[in-house]
Amino acid sequence: MATSTPTRGTHGSRPGRRDPKAMSPGRQAWRSRLWRFDDKASPYAYIAPFFLIFGAFGLYPLIYTGWIALHRVEMVSLDQMDWVGWENFSKILQDDEFWTAVANTFVIGVISTVPQLLMALGLAHLLNYKLRASTFWRTVILTPYATSVASAALVFALVFRADGGLLNWVLDFVGLGDTNWAQGHWSSKIAIAVIVIWRWTGYNTLIYLAAMQAVPSDLYEAASLDGASRWQQFRNVTIPALRPTILFTIVISTIGSMQLFGEPLLLEGGTIGAQGGSEHQYETLSVYLYNYGWKLGHLGPAAAVAWAMLALLLLIAAINWLVGRSVRKTAA
């Protein structure tokens, strides 16, 4: 006797299982509103932890520092705050030592940033070609960045020592005489700049290398067909493609130079290093802030220095933005 294969739905739905089509209109409207709310609110819930952490550890300290800058607050009596208005800002702006620290920070930033970025650009160009053990060389270049600033500063302090330092031994060996690196106005800045260059060149090299590898190879092939040498390809193809990255590294390096603290502090160490040299010849803004806040205990002027550093950073960022905008217009 022939039998037919039962089809789906012949015997109805399973007992206890509710048909979705039987959902009431009110329940459907409620689920639709819930879905729309979830679609709009979920992105904010995902990014909320960042803003909460930023508000607690970034925005609140910044605002509170500005509030302290308008008061007279001493380290020994943190619970006593006397309103002084703009007196702390006026005090530091009339202090010659503050402008000395600004000049030192600017000079050290220039003589450390320019050679650092040029060296990083050249090293990235070399690593961009096919080399044996390329991963090894990239790791070696990044090793100084992984070294702590205290370790690096202490090692270089031994290198630049006036008595028995390695660099003075080499200079004396070749007949150039000794140099008191920490006591000289320019030699101390050069010594700090060398530490900064040694630590950050590898970091910027990898940034440039990543940007170079994103440049289309068709551009290099077209340039080589036109008879361009490697130097001409680097100048006319690589550099224009890396302009946004170069501007980014300039901004990052500028921010880093404004925050120089460990290198000048540990160049000589002790009381002299904490005041930026016997004549404040290598005192940076961070060291100046440290002296006001932690050595003298005057937190009001120290907070004013912090806000002055922020204002300088914003000014430098605005200048870099205007320069970048002008470069983009010229390229277009």
Side-chain angles (χ1 to χ4, degrees), residues 275-297:
Q275 66 183 18
S278 57
E279 299 179 3
H280 307 285
Q281 65 269 18
Y282 57 87
E283 182 182 21
T284 61
L285 282 171
S286 297
V287 176
Y288 180 75
L289 186 153
Y290 168 78
N291 287 327
Y292 249 126
W294 276 262
K295 291 190 65 179
L296 300 177

Side-chain angles (χ1 to χ4, degrees), residues 41 48 51 123 173 302:
F51 286 101
L123 289 172
F173 181 78

Side-chain angles (χ1 to χ4, degrees), residues 223-235:
S224 62
L225 291 175
D226 291 339
S229 62
R230 285 190 172 183
W231 167 248
Q232 290 174 333
Q233 293 178 23
F234 176 74
R235 187 182 61 185

